[in-house]
Amino acid sequence: MKELAQQVENLSITEDVSEEIVRLFSVRAGLSQPALDECNSTQLLQKAIKLSQKKEYSTRLYEAVLNDTETFLNGLQTIGDDQAVVLTNVLSNSSSEPKPPVVQNLLNSIKTIIKPLILDKDTVSKVRLFLSIYFSIVSHFGNESAQHLHVLLKFINPIPVILSESGESDYKTIVSLVMMILVKNLQANKKTTCEVITEYLELIKEDESPTAAEVLNYIELLENLYPLIPEVIEPIYTCDKSKNLITAEVDRVLESGGRELEYPNRRRVCISILNLISSSCISETGRNYNVSTFLQLLKAGTMLKDIEIKLLSTLNLIKLWNFIELEKKSESSENVTITNLETNLTSYLRNSNVAEDARNIEVCVEGLAYLSLNTSVKQHLRQDEVLIELLLKILKDSSSGAKKQRNDSSLVYGILVLISNLAKLKDPNDKGSDRSTASFLKGFATPSGSRTKDKEEDQDAIQLFNRSLLKDHKIIEIISVLKIYKEEDGTAPQIQQNNLLRQFIFILHTLSMNPQRAVKEEIVKQGGLNVILGYLIKYSTVSKATGETRPISSSAELIDTRMLAIRALAKILISVNPSLSFKKYDIKTSVPFLVELLGPDISVYTGSLDTQSANEKYLFDFTNLDKYESLMALTNLSSNEDTQLQGLILRRTYDTYLNNFIIDSDIPPVQKASWELISNLITQTSLLAKFFNLEDKDSYKRLDLLIKLLNSKDEELQIVIAGLLANATSEFDMISEILVKDTKIFKDITNTLSFIFQHQNSIDNLILRCSYVLINLVYAAANLGEEKLQEFADNQKLKSAVNETLKATKNQGILEVLIEVIKMVRFK
């Protein structure tokens, strides 16, 4: 559409062409219009759009709409304006506002034009075009009319002719358009729309001898409507009259041993029944009904030579797994096992032609998505390198858009769900639900025992598979360029793009769970960090007052996906070099999301979740592991020598989180990580004041705590605290002087250092940091005068401890610092 708009902008239209375009929309067909004869259809459409944007001509064209609506619509057909762009411009730009009666008259005229048409190879494109115009009018101007559905619903029926390939494509578009128009009516007036639908279906059901075309129209309507209004369609589907109508067709197939399928109409009806069974599995009532009514058909279908029926039957048996004991030991030749079902699907995939068999492949992928909840099936599929290569090739081809039928979001989505299931690791934050598959299956049953009875999988084996997906197959790179995933692509509805993006985030989170730095770096290299940040930016709001990020809605699905995205962000940023990883987004963009992972602000928590807004409660679902990983990621970011970045992290974390975390010894990893982050930020003057302003009581308490923790029993925490003190005293002479001047603080810190040098001198990481603290204190004492330096010289405990360290260590760095201390102090 952007290219078309640009072409329209560049057009110049002669007066003759302008007048004849107006005549085309206002005069009955048959008159000669020589100026238009030289224009091809694309040029004619572009010129008509250009003309409709000019007020003078849009007013005249609006008059044409009023004078002869049907002629105007035929003009749209002549120029191929199936999006009704000219009409939309005319109604929007004319001097008179389009009144509801005008819009209603347009819809009535379209109904009149298509009502007598019988869908065949000669009319299918015309029906498609007028339905497209109808939908465009309703989308822009409303005026939904449920009574028109009596005419529109009859076109969901492919049987009147055996359609050509192009006709089949038009028919699929017709079905989509009718369903979208129906949705508009449901949104505008659900009660009336449901009454019209019920009335239409009752007319077919009550017919004593419906034709094959009427039966197919009935079945395909039930299939398409079931997910939209199950409360209306379920009672119709499961009633005795529907059962008699549908089972009569089933019996013909079963009694003939499949020979009836040689007749195209009968085969089409059978396929539609199988699609209806699949659609009706959305409800428990529907699934139970399917087991009691169609089980024999499905079992027989898995044995037939007809590939499409075989695959659809296989898929439906998998969907009904919770309601039948497929693997029950039996001598019956009709018994079907999980191996049979898996083989039916994988064998077809290995020998298929994606360009020709997209629908069958979609069925196979959907079936495998169900089966991949079973441990044994997952193990088989991970080891099937040929199958994995094929699935990834389909994704690659989808990104190229070379084959229109490959650019199908349902197929791509199914593949992503399947990959998600195969890559899924045991997550310590997981609540035990298969969210990705559950969303894909839209509430269908999952194979019994798929989770609860299976043995726990080998996590190392899954990690190996995941590394192969990432490094050998470049899975992130492949998904990143999918056209139907990208925001700017208009071929997939927004809801489908969102589904694809959710699955991508799930896969990214799973891959990020690998602890290896090289894996995280590969994720960044393939663009995974950009995808995560892009998703979080798009689906978040930012408070102008506080800078806090929150979900754009309280949708549970959105919140769950955002939580995964933020967790993946933290896992990646713990390991990678921040200065090299941010190419598309500013490094500071990640900070608010990492802060989210720290959970609710404890300082303002009232003690009740009921007082939290709907899109705040999720913060309480973040775990101590989340807090730890967030702090580690922020620590890694703060290693970047960007003072603005460090200042942002400090402002967003200290008062609300760190001030509490550093005293919470009940969660040692979080406490330790908090001190480590403070150590990296300690050169920020505002943070120095919180620890080294001895005139402030709170600051004095924090410094006292800091020195006590230097003597902690937790060796790693000691190292962190020693590093913090080393950083602060190295950067600011004033800090060292403060520590030396205060009698209590000076005594506590020198006693602690003496103890560490005496008893922990084998721990180089700790001793080196303490050595730097000591030398900085000595420098400060020297600056303050001989009296202070003498206090060091008289400290026999410190002298003895330093000597013990000199004897014990072989670390050249430690030796150099402590020898410098001895030279300056001249211990007695």
Side-chain angles (χ1 to χ4, degrees):
M1 287 299 293
K2 290 181 181 178
E3 293 178 2
L4 179 59
Q6 186 61 46
Q7 292 173 13
V8 168
E9 185 67 26
N10 297 333
L11 279 176
S12 60
I13 311 176
T14 65
E15 186 174 346
D16 287 346
V17 170
S18 298
E19 290 301 320
E20 292 192 9
I21 287 176
V22 173
R23 283 164 54 82
L24 176 68
F25 287 101
S26 55
V27 180
R28 292 284 180 182
L31 296 179
S32 174
Q33 294 166 329
L36 302 185
D37 292 342
E38 297 180 1
C39 300
N40 61 40
S41 58
T42 302
Q43 292 172 332
L44 190 56
L45 173 59
Q46 292 171 358
K47 290 179 179 180
I49 291 173
K50 177 79 171 179
L51 203 67
S52 68
Q53 294 171 340
K54 298 182 178 181
K55 190 167 184 179
E56 174 193 351
Y57 289 102
S58 67
T59 301
R60 292 174 61 188
L61 290 170
Y62 183 69
E63 291 172 358
V65 173
L66 297 178
N67 293 334
D68 193 339
T69 303
E70 190 169 334
T71 296
F72 188 95
L73 291 169
N74 285 325
L76 294 181
Q77 181 188 7
T78 301
I79 65 173
D81 186 9
D82 57 356
Q83 301 298 314
V85 179
V86 171
L87 178 61
T88 302
N89 288 343
V90 167
L91 295 181
S92 301
N93 300 334
S94 63
S95 55
S96 302
E97 281 293 318
K99 301 295 189 295
V102 176
V103 176
Q104 189 60 51
N105 188 39
L106 282 162
L107 299 179
N108 290 339
S109 295
I110 293 175
K111 186 199 76 170
T112 300
I113 291 171
I114 64 176
K115 183 176 181 179
L117 298 179
I118 297 175
L119 204 60
D120 59 29
K121 63 183 179 181
D122 298 320
T123 62
V124 66
S125 61
K126 182 176 182 179
V127 172
R128 177 196 57 75
L129 182 136
F130 279 107
L131 285 176
S132 183
I133 295 172
Y134 188 107
F135 177 68
S136 182
I137 294 171
V138 171
S139 296
H140 281 92
F141 305 107
N143 278 54
E144 296 82 358
S145 181
Q147 295 305 318
H148 289 177
L149 294 176
H150 279 288
V151 172
L152 305 187
L153 292 177
K154 74 174 184 175
F155 292 115
I156 299 185
N157 181 6
I159 246 181
V161 291
I162 304 301
L163 297 171
S164 64
E165 185 177 342
S166 60
E168 183 76 18
S169 175
D170 278 334
Y171 173 68
K172 289 179 180 177
T173 304
I174 287 170
V175 173
S176 296
L177 288 167
V178 172
M179 296 309 297
M180 289 190 291
I181 293 167
L182 189 145
V183 167
K184 289 286 184 184
N185 279 276
L186 285 171
Q187 291 170 342
N189 191 334
K190 185 171 182 177
K191 184 175 181 295
T192 301
T193 302
C194 289
E195 289 172 354
V196 171
I197 291 170
T198 302
E199 180 183 297
Y200 181 88
L201 292 171
E202 288 292 338
L203 289 174
I204 299 176
K205 191 171 64 177
E206 296 296 331
D207 194 331
E208 293 298 328
S209 54
T211 64
E214 289 172 329
V215 171
L216 184 58
N217 181 222
Y218 181 79
I219 292 169
E220 295 221 341
L221 280 172
L222 292 182
E223 174 206 336
N224 284 280
L225 293 170
Y226 210 120
L228 284 177
I229 43 175
E231 71 279 11
V232 174
I233 302 303
E234 186 178 275
I236 297 174
Y237 174 57
T238 56
C239 74
D240 288 341
K241 288 188 177 180
S242 285
K243 181 177 181 179
N244 294 337
L245 187 69
I246 296 171
T247 54
E249 299 295 330
V250 172
D251 290 342
R252 284 193 184 95
V253 174
L254 294 178
E255 291 170 5
S256 71
R259 289 188 299 277
E260 281 284 323
L261 299 178
E262 295 174 6
Y263 301 99
N265 286 2
R266 293 300 177 198
R267 179 178 180 276
R268 193 68 185 244
V269 169
C270 185
I271 289 172
S272 293
I273 290 172
L274 292 171
N275 285 325
L276 170 57
I277 294 170
S278 178
S279 179
S280 63
C281 283
I282 196 170
S283 69
E284 184 175 349
T285 299
R287 293 193 295 268
N288 282 320
Y289 174 79
N290 291 335
V291 170
S292 62
T293 309
F294 300 116
L295 185 56
Q296 291 308 312
L297 170 68
L298 299 179
K299 284 186 174 183
T302 63
M303 311 295 181
L304 293 175
K305 292 181 179 180
D306 187 293
I307 291 297
E308 190 170 0
I309 290 175
K310 181 176 183 177
L311 296 177
L312 284 170
S313 299
T314 299
L315 173 62
N316 282 327
L317 277 180
I318 296 170
K319 286 186 175 183
L320 299 174
W321 201 320
N322 274 352
F323 302 88
I324 54 177
E325 298 180 46
L326 288 177
E327 296 199 71
K328 181 179 178 182
K329 291 183 179 180
S330 169
E331 295 180 359
S332 169
S333 61
E334 294 181 345
N335 187 49
V336 181
T337 69
I338 187 173
T339 303
N340 298 145
L341 301 176
E342 181 187 351
T343 301
N344 280 357
L345 302 177
T346 56
S347 296
Y348 178 79
L349 283 174
R350 287 193 195 92
N351 299 291
S352 62
N353 183 329
V354 181
E356 298 175 1
D357 307 324
R359 172 55 188 155
N360 286 343
I361 290 175
E362 185 181 332
V363 168
C364 289
V365 168
E366 185 179 356
L368 288 174
Y370 282 91
L371 287 178
S372 64
L373 293 177
N374 178 280
T375 297
S376 63
V377 173
K378 276 195 278 194
Q379 291 171 346
H380 294 162
L381 296 179
R382 289 193 199 104
Q383 294 166 6
D384 193 338
E385 185 67 22
V386 173
L387 183 63
I388 298 299
E389 285 278 5
L390 173 65
L391 294 173
L392 296 176
K393 184 177 185 302
I394 294 173
L395 290 183
K396 288 179 184 177
D397 290 344
S398 296
S399 68
S400 71
K403 298 289 184 180
K404 185 178 180 181
Q405 62 267 39
R406 295 188 190 182
N407 201 19
D408 181 86
S409 62
S410 297
L411 175 56
V412 171
Y413 180 52
I415 293 173
L416 295 186
V417 171
L418 178 53
I419 290 173
S420 296
N421 287 346
L422 298 182
K424 184 176 176 62
L425 290 157
K426 186 177 181 180
D427 186 349
N429 292 311
D430 190 15
K431 295 180 180 178
S433 62
D434 286 298
R435 287 191 187 91
S436 60
T437 304
S439 173
F440 173 62
L441 305 183
K442 303 179 181 68
F444 297 146
T446 54
S448 61
S450 61
R451 288 183 58 89
T452 57
K453 295 180 182 178
D454 284 335
K455 295 179 180 179
E456 188 170 311
E457 288 198 86
D458 181 348
Q459 299 298 297
D460 290 339
I462 302 174
Q463 288 282 24
L464 186 63
F465 173 77
N466 291 353
R467 283 198 297 272
S468 177
L469 279 178
L470 182 65
K471 293 193 171 184
D472 300 334
H473 298 295
K474 308 294 182 186
I475 182 68
I476 295 176
E477 200 171 278
I478 290 173
I479 302 175
S480 295
V481 296
L482 287 175
K483 288 195 172 184
I484 51 179
Y485 145 73
K486 286 180 173 290
E487 289 180 38
E488 62 268 22
D489 178 64
T491 60
Q494 186 62 46
I495 188 170
Q496 292 178 346
Q497 291 181 356
N498 291 346
N499 287 338
L500 291 168
L501 191 48
R502 277 196 297 273
Q503 286 308 310
F504 195 2
I505 295 297
F506 183 89
I507 291 170
L508 281 166
H509 174 259
T510 300
L511 295 174
S512 73
M513 290 173 67
N514 190 301
Q516 295 180 1
R517 179 188 295 269
V519 170
K520 311 291 180 61
E521 291 173 345
E522 185 65 26
I523 291 173
V524 173
K525 182 180 177 182
Q526 292 186 35
L529 181 60
N530 290 338
V531 172
I532 291 169
L533 284 171
Y535 172 83
L536 289 171
I537 291 168
K538 180 178 179 181
Y539 292 97
S540 302
T541 60
V542 182
S543 168
K544 292 182 179 179
T546 65
E548 291 178 327
T549 48
R550 293 293 183 265
I552 59 173
S553 80
S554 58
S555 159
E557 197 168 54
L558 170 66
I559 288 172
D560 282 351
T561 308
R562 278 185 83 260
M563 288 174 73
L564 287 179
I566 296 172
R567 283 170 171 151
L569 178 67
K571 292 176 191 295
I572 292 169
L573 292 182
I574 286 171
S575 301
V576 300
N577 184 335
S579 62
L580 300 177
S581 300
F582 289 84
K583 301 290 178 65
K584 183 175 181 180
Y585 298 100
D586 189 294
I587 191 171
K588 293 188 285 294
T589 306
S590 62
V591 173
F593 301 116
L594 294 175
V595 173
E596 254 188 89
L597 198 56
L598 293 174
D601 180 356
I602 302 172
S603 63
V604 297
Y605 176 45
T606 62
S608 172
L609 284 177
D610 296 335
T611 61
Q612 304 296 313
S613 63
N615 68 340
E616 291 270 344
K617 291 181 181 179
Y618 75 97
L619 293 171
F620 291 86
D621 291 332
F622 286 126
T623 65
N624 290 329
L625 175 61
D626 290 324
K627 294 179 177 68
Y628 174 74
E629 292 187 335
S630 171
L631 292 167
M632 293 296 288
L634 288 167
T635 299
N636 189 33
L637 289 186
S638 65
S639 65
N640 187 301
E641 296 180 358
D642 181 339
T643 55
Q644 288 186 343
L645 172 63
Q646 292 178 345
L648 173 64
I649 294 172
L650 178 60
R651 291 192 301 275
R652 295 299 313 282
T653 60
Y654 186 82
D655 290 331
T656 48
Y657 299 102
L658 299 182
N659 195 36
N660 292 306
F661 290 166
I662 59 177
I663 62 174
D664 190 355
S665 58
D666 291 337
I667 316 170
V670 172
Q671 184 188 30
K672 193 185 311 171
S674 298
W675 281 110
E676 193 162 350
L677 176 56
I678 289 173
S679 177
N680 273 17
L681 300 174
I682 198 62
T683 55
Q684 292 284 311
T685 54
S686 59
L687 185 56
L688 287 169
K690 293 183 183 295
F691 285 90
F692 300 104
N693 178 12
L694 302 192
E695 295 178 1
D696 180 78
K697 290 182 179 180
D698 290 335
S699 176
Y700 196 97
K701 288 179 182 178
R702 292 188 196 102
L703 180 56
D704 186 56
L705 173 65
L706 182 66
I707 295 170
K708 282 183 171 64
L709 291 176
L710 181 59
N711 201 24
S712 168
K713 293 180 180 180
D714 184 334
E715 181 184 300
E716 291 183 1
L717 180 57
Q718 282 184 286
I719 293 171
V720 171
I721 299 297
L724 189 159
L725 285 169
N727 287 342
T729 55
S730 296
E731 290 291 328
F732 300 95
D733 294 341
M734 175 188 67
I735 301 301
S736 300
E737 292 178 3
I738 289 171
L739 297 178
V740 171
K741 284 181 180 179
D742 187 276
T743 303
K744 181 183 181 303
I745 294 296
F746 179 69
K747 180 181 178 182
D748 289 344
I749 197 168
T750 52
N751 284 341
T752 300
L753 290 173
S754 297
F755 181 87
I756 292 171
F757 287 129
Q758 183 78 38
H759 300 286
Q760 295 180 274
N761 48 44
S762 63
I763 309 169
D764 282 359
N765 283 341
L766 175 60
I767 295 298
L768 181 61
R769 287 164 172 78
C770 287
S771 299
Y772 279 115
V773 174
L774 179 58
I775 190 65
N776 292 333
L777 295 179
V778 170
Y779 286 149
N783 290 335
L784 291 171
E786 191 64 31
E787 184 179 342
K788 274 296 175 185
L789 195 58
Q790 189 62 40
E791 290 184 34
F792 276 105
D794 294 338
N795 192 326
Q796 292 301 309
K797 185 189 294 186
L798 181 60
K799 174 184 177 181
S800 175
V802 169
N803 285 332
E804 286 295 324
T805 298
L806 287 172
K807 293 175 186 177
T809 188
K810 294 181 180 179
N811 186 298
Q812 191 62 32
I814 295 172
L815 290 171
E816 289 175 358
V817 175
L818 292 184
I819 289 171
E820 181 67 17
V821 168
I822 292 171
K823 286 180 180 178
M824 290 193 66
V825 172
R826 296 178 183 175
F827 287 109
K828 291 184 179 180

